[in-house]
């Protein structure tokens, strides 16, 4: 089992940057693929980015490609989401998720953090 805690959210102007962090508990962090999802106001939760257990493979939501970068540090039990060139439509609660399966579907992730709010002003 793994517990996840996100941090790094906040209020930023359009065009700005934020770096989200997710701290995982447990000794088996490297056994889990990790992902970031987000839920905009009054919308469904959507996939943002994922990374394999080794960190060698990543994939992204089309609208964030070239702006967001997911990475992980298995020695520190951390996963990150660097978000650049932020837009108002990136405003959402961002969630970190973990599962042995490298998936972009929220229903396949067993472990979730509590979320961190990101607000991008225009």
């Amino acid at each position: 089992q793994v517990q996840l805690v996100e941090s790094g959210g906040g209020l930023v102007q359009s065009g700005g940057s934020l770096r989200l962090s997710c701290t995982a508990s447990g000794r088996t962090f490297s056994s889990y693929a990790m992902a970031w999802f987000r839920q905009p106001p009054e919308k469904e939760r959507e996939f943002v980015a994922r990374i394999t257990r080794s960190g060698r493979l990543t994939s992204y939501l089309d609208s964030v490609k070239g702006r967001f970068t997911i990475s992980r540090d298995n020695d520190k039990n951390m996963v990150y989401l660097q978000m650049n060139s932020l837009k108002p439509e990136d405003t959402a609660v961002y969630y970190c998720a973990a599962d042995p399966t490298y998936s972009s579907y929220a229903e396949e992730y067993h472990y979730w953090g509590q979320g961190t709010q990101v607000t991008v002003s225009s």
Side-chain angles (χ1 to χ4, degrees):
Q1 195 168 10
V2 62
Q3 293 182 327
L4 305 171
V5 179
E6 303 95 336
S7 61
L11 174 64
V12 63
Q13 288 189 334
S14 182
S17 297
L18 281 174
R19 187 195 197 202
L20 304 183
S21 298
C22 176
T23 303
S25 64
R27 300 179 182 178
T28 59
F29 177 70
S30 60
S31 299
Y32 295 93
M34 300 296 296
W36 288 95
F37 290 81
R38 67 186 182 187
Q39 187 163 14
E42 302 181 1
K43 293 186 179 180
E44 297 290 319
R45 189 172 298 189
E46 65 179 358
F47 164 77
V48 175
R50 59 177 174 163
I51 188 166
T52 55
R53 288 173 283 183
S54 67
R56 291 186 187 135
L57 293 178
T58 59
S59 70
Y60 298 90
L61 177 69
D62 283 347
S63 63
V64 308
K65 283 180 182 177
R67 300 190 297 122
F68 290 11
T69 302
I70 187 172
S71 61
R72 67 188 295 162
D73 186 332
N74 285 345
D75 291 332
K76 295 181 179 179
N77 283 15
M78 298 286 292
V79 64
Y80 306 99
L81 185 68
Q82 178 66 44
M83 305 186 294
N84 298 328
S85 302
L86 282 161
K87 304 175 181 180
E89 52 263 43
D90 294 318
T91 294
V93 177
Y94 283 73
Y95 296 90
C96 173
D99 197 84
T101 303
Y102 179 61
S103 172
S104 60
Y105 295 97
E107 59 267 26
E108 295 188 8
Y109 282 82
H110 286 84
Y111 305 107
W112 292 84
Q114 82 290 347
T116 187
Q117 177 70 47
V118 171
T119 303
V120 184
S121 63
S122 57

